[in-house]
């Protein structure tokens, strides 16, 4: 399955009030491995960015003045995400903004008509009810390094969310179950292996080892009357 971990930054909270996307960051995941492919763009929203939003992501009106409009990047962005499952934290927010942007263009497109959508916030709330489940809290819980995240940024947040998503959906991630000071389970930090690493060697039993194993099963069978390993499935 091709998955795109995605995040956006915006001029404000509500697209119904005319707020726009100003940054899109995406990283590609195939078979639960980051491929190294990504999509990243800043966008001129043709409106002012609210001061409260700037305090979150640090993207100023001056910085965006010479950036392309959404209409100029829409087709390239759509081709990158088309047919993939989008992995988004609080998906309703980002999808709502993307739908509002595509609604201004022809042809009008709705994200859910062309992509699957997986909300990691919903997954985290089911898995950790009653706990904080924002991205920073999940980074702490799963040992993901977010030390460079002084401000929000779409590409950085997408990369961090990709690590969190793989841990959140990958079962047990560490043997340590010691509770931290805030009651969270202790988890060892993630260490990503290179995608081009050599495959692990497959070591098969020798003929002598197989014969010894069969002899041991004979002994077990005489004592117990039945050996599960020899039972038909």
């Amino acid at each position: 399955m091709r998955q795109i971990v995605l995040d956006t930054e915006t001029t404000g909270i509500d697209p119904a009030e005319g707020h726009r996307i100003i940054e899109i960051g995406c990283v590609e995941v195939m078979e639960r491995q980051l491929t190294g492919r990504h999509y990243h763009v800043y966008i001129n929203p043709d409106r002012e960015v609210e001061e409260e939003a700037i305090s979150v992501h640090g993207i100023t009106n001056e910085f965006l003045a010479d950036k392309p409009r959404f209409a100029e990047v829409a087709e390239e962005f759509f081709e990158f995400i088309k047919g993939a499952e989008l992995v988004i934290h609080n998906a309703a927010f980002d999808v709502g903004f993307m739908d509002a942007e595509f609604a201004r263009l022809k042809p009008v497109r709705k994200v859910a008509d062309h992509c699957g959508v997986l909300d990691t916030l919903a997954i985290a709330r089911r898995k950790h009810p009653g706990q904080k489940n924002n991205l920073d809290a999940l980074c702490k819980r799963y040992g993901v390094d977010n030390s460079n995240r002084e401000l929000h940024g779409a590409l950085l947040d997408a990369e961090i969310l990709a690590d969190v998503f793989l841990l959140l959906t990958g079962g047990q991630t560490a043997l340590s179950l010691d509770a931290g000071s805030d009651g969270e389970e202790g988890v060892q930090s993630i260490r990503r292996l290179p995608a081009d690493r050599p495959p692990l060697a497959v070591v098969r039993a020798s003929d002598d080892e197989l014969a010894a194993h069969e002899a041991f099963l004979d002994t077990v069978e005489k004592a117990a009357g039945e050996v599960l390993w020899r039972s038909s499935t």
Side-chain angles (χ1 to χ4, degrees), residues 74-143:
E75 196 62 31
E76 181 183 41
F77 171 54
F78 177 75
E79 288 300 319
F80 188 82
I81 65 172
K82 182 175 68 175
E85 180 178 61
L86 304 183
V87 178
I88 308 173
H89 204 67
N90 191 17
F93 178 87
D94 300 84
V95 172
F97 268 95
M98 289 187 287
D99 282 347
E101 294 288 355
F102 282 123
R104 296 182 175 96
L105 308 176
K106 300 294 182 184
V108 173
R109 292 160 169 158
K110 290 185 70 67
V111 169
D113 291 340
H114 302 277
C115 305
V117 178
L118 184 65
D119 189 349
T120 52
L121 178 59
I123 295 173
R125 283 173 172 169
R126 289 195 301 268
K127 192 167 184 178
H128 306 290
Q131 300 183 46
K132 289 183 179 179
N133 287 300
N134 59 40
L135 191 54
D136 286 334
L138 291 173
C139 286
K140 181 178 181 181
R141 189 173 303 146
Y142 286 97

Side-chain angles (χ1 to χ4, degrees), residues 175-180 184-187:
L175 295 178
S176 172
L177 297 178
D178 295 333
E184 303 286 1
E185 292 181 353
V187 180

Side-chain angles (χ1 to χ4, degrees), residues 22-55:
I22 58 174
E23 185 187 8
I24 301 171
C26 307
V27 295
E28 183 183 62
V29 174
M30 292 282 288
E31 304 298 332
R32 296 187 59 79
Q33 291 190 7
L34 289 164
T35 67
R37 291 189 67 214
H38 70 277
Y39 179 84
H40 180 231
V41 66
Y42 291 103
I43 297 167
N44 184 337
D46 285 321
R47 61 155 293 157
E48 292 293 302
V49 183
E50 289 189 343
E51 287 298 324
E52 186 176 354
I54 295 174
S55 71

Side-chain angles (χ1 to χ4, degrees), residues 187-223:
V187 180
Q188 295 175 356
S189 297
I190 184 173
R191 181 170 64 89
R192 183 180 300 143
L193 299 177
D196 59 351
R197 66 188 183 277
L200 294 175
V202 178
V203 180
R204 302 186 184 281
S206 66
D207 290 342
D208 288 343
E209 289 170 331
L210 291 172
H213 178 65
E214 288 300 320
F216 175 75
L217 293 182
D218 288 339
T219 301
V220 174
E221 194 169 39
K222 289 178 182 178

Side-chain angles (χ1 to χ4, degrees), residues 136-176:
D136 286 334
L138 291 173
C139 286
K140 181 178 181 181
R141 189 173 303 146
Y142 286 97
V144 174
D145 181 11
N146 66 341
S147 56
N148 293 324
R149 194 176 183 254
E150 294 181 5
L151 293 171
H152 290 251
L155 184 59
L156 175 60
D157 282 3
E159 291 172 340
I160 291 172
L161 179 59
D163 284 345
V164 169
F165 165 65
L166 293 174
L167 289 164
L168 183 66
T169 59
Q172 185 174 342
T173 56
L175 295 178
S176 172

